[in-house]
Amino acid sequence: MRGVIFDGKQTQVVDDLEIRDPGPGEVLVAISAAGLCHSDLSVVDGTIPFPVPVVLGHEGAGVVEAVGVGVTHVQPGDHVSLSTLANCGTCAECDRGRPTMCRKAIGMPQRPFTRAGKSLYQFASNSAFAERTLVKAVQAVRIPEDIPLTSAALIGCGVLTGVGAVLNRARVDRGDSVVVIGTGGIGLNVIQGARLAGALTVVAVDSNPAKEGVARRFGATHFLSSTEGVREVLPTGADHAFECVGRVELVRQAVDLLDRHGQAVLLGVPAATAEASFLVSSMYLDKSILGCRYGSSRPQRDIALYAELYREGRLLLDELVTETYSVEDFEKAAADASAGRVARAVLTF
């Protein structure tokens, strides 16, 4: 079968991948579409360290092909959106409803793939850039069949992370003010999360003026090319500032833009060793800096919710899919995504 692999030096589209059958508690999914997220590119450029060789991709949707013993919530033929959380479901964090904090949900990559007799790692417990992938049952969330799989693919990362950061982590309230730095796939979902939460003022900041139209479509009330103009819109600062790029200087700007009791939420992924600075004295007015993993999501609940919001016309998905690419065109999709020419590139099989 086809897939996109990274061997530590280069990416390659291959057609001789093999995958084992599902074991107990596992689901084999035939991938129909997968979003190309900057996290995939960050593995390639070394920003996110990951063992190689690895099958890339972590934002996908498809059709269940087979299930292992004990799996009852999905069956062959079901349409599913996949999450990256291979959480155990039994630890204290899972029991508290915090699966993103499960210590078995990260840092323990499996190797269900083989190529020429050698095993390959699975990225983010998902590897959606393959014609078939194997996930834990908890990662497969059944969705209505009338949702296009090219759109449903984006729920499992970009939507969970962006909308979830607003609703679950920051808990933006009605009438709040929000600044979103970076309007890529994550930033646009933060913007529409703020709209869903009832934020009164949503300021989108992006150096690319061509992104203004889509930012306003998703719910931005203002658009700026830098953070310098934010204080003209919000003289006392913002209730919430989301950094969605992953640059330490923008983290500092997010903190500096806060009003009293404001929150800076960090969603962008800089290098693992990157350090950011801020004025300690500026924090004594009850300001907070919040990390956020995967939108503090509970995927079985949240993916189903977002699917229904999409069906009601309240959550935008189709508008995120700027262009679809055959998996063989991975390099072009990666180049377009890196250059910011697309909100989300989607690979299809």
Side-chain angles (χ1 to χ4, degrees):
M1 67 179 184
R2 293 172 295 166
V4 180
I5 65 172
F6 175 60
D7 63 6
K9 296 180 180 179
Q10 63 179 359
T11 56
Q12 183 181 3
V13 180
V14 301
D15 60 6
D16 56 352
L17 281 179
E18 296 182 359
I19 192 167
R20 64 174 174 80
D21 293 332
E26 294 181 331
V27 179
L28 180 67
V29 179
I31 296 294
S32 297
L36 176 54
C37 175
H38 278 278
S39 294
D40 300 301
L41 302 178
S42 293
V43 173
V44 176
D45 67 21
T47 301
I48 297 178
F50 204 88
V52 294
V54 58
V55 180
L56 295 174
H58 66 284
E59 184 181 72
V63 180
V64 174
E65 195 163 279
V67 300
V69 174
V71 178
T72 59
H73 74 291
V74 293
Q75 60 186 1
D78 284 347
H79 287 205
V80 291
S81 178
L82 303 181
S83 84
T84 70
L85 282 183
N87 57 295
C88 70
T90 59
C91 69
E93 297 295 348
C94 287
D95 190 55
R96 293 187 182 104
R98 299 197 295 244
T100 59
M101 296 296 105
C102 176
R103 297 184 188 277
K104 293 186 178 181
I106 190 172
M108 299 181 183
Q110 302 299 306
R111 290 187 279 186
F113 300 97
T114 57
R115 185 181 182 228
K118 297 182 179 180
S119 60
L120 292 86
Y121 286 99
Q122 184 174 40
F123 180 52
S125 302
N126 192 307
S127 290
F129 293 171
E131 285 188 86
R132 292 175 182 81
T133 194
L134 199 60
V135 297
K136 283 190 173 183
V138 71
Q139 295 176 253
V141 184
R142 187 161 58 89
I143 58 174
E145 293 186 9
D146 58 357
I147 299 179
L149 290 172
T150 49
S151 296
L154 306 185
I155 300 177
C157 179
V159 177
L160 279 180
T161 300
V163 178
V166 174
L167 302 182
N168 301 326
R169 185 66 168 128
R171 297 186 181 275
V172 172
D173 201 359
R174 292 163 295 179
D176 282 357
S177 59
V178 173
V179 173
V180 182
I181 303 174
T183 61
I186 299 299
L188 289 175
N189 278 296
V190 171
I191 291 170
Q192 73 169 333
R195 170 175 52 78
L196 288 168
L200 183 62
T201 305
V202 181
V203 182
V205 180
D206 200 293
S207 59
N208 183 354
K211 293 186 176 183
E212 179 174 1
V214 68
R216 289 187 180 275
R217 175 72 180 89
F218 274 71
T221 59
H222 299 75
F223 184 91
L224 302 171
S225 59
S226 77
T227 58
E228 293 179 2
V230 171
R231 289 286 180 175
E232 296 180 14
V233 180
L234 300 170
T236 63
D239 296 314
H240 312 273
F242 295 82
E243 200 284 333
C244 306
V245 180
R247 288 167 45 188
V248 294
E249 67 272 22
L250 297 179
V251 171
R252 172 59 184 269
Q253 291 174 28
V255 174
D256 289 345
L257 288 171
L258 296 178
D259 196 356
R260 299 182 180 196
H261 208 273
Q263 300 179 130
V265 184
L266 311 185
L267 295 176
V269 181
T273 57
E275 297 182 359
S277 64
F278 60 93
L279 292 174
V280 176
S281 61
S282 71
M283 304 301 292
Y284 292 120
L285 293 173
D286 286 359
K287 298 179 184 181
S288 305
I289 300 174
L290 305 180
C292 184
R293 169 165 161 71
Y294 205 42
S296 301
S297 298
R298 294 164 64 182
Q300 285 289 336
R301 176 199 67 177
D302 291 348
I303 289 177
L305 168 63
Y306 300 152
E308 287 305 315
L309 288 173
Y310 167 80
R311 297 178 81 198
E312 293 178 5
R314 298 166 61 190
L315 183 88
L316 305 181
L317 290 177
D318 303 340
E319 294 82 355
L320 283 167
V321 184
T322 308
E323 189 167 349
T324 59
Y325 305 76
S326 167
V327 67
E328 285 81 8
D329 292 328
F330 171 78
E331 292 298 336
K332 184 178 187 305
D336 287 347
S338 296
R341 289 189 287 268
V342 293
R344 217 35 154 209
V346 175
L347 300 181
T348 59
F349 289 89

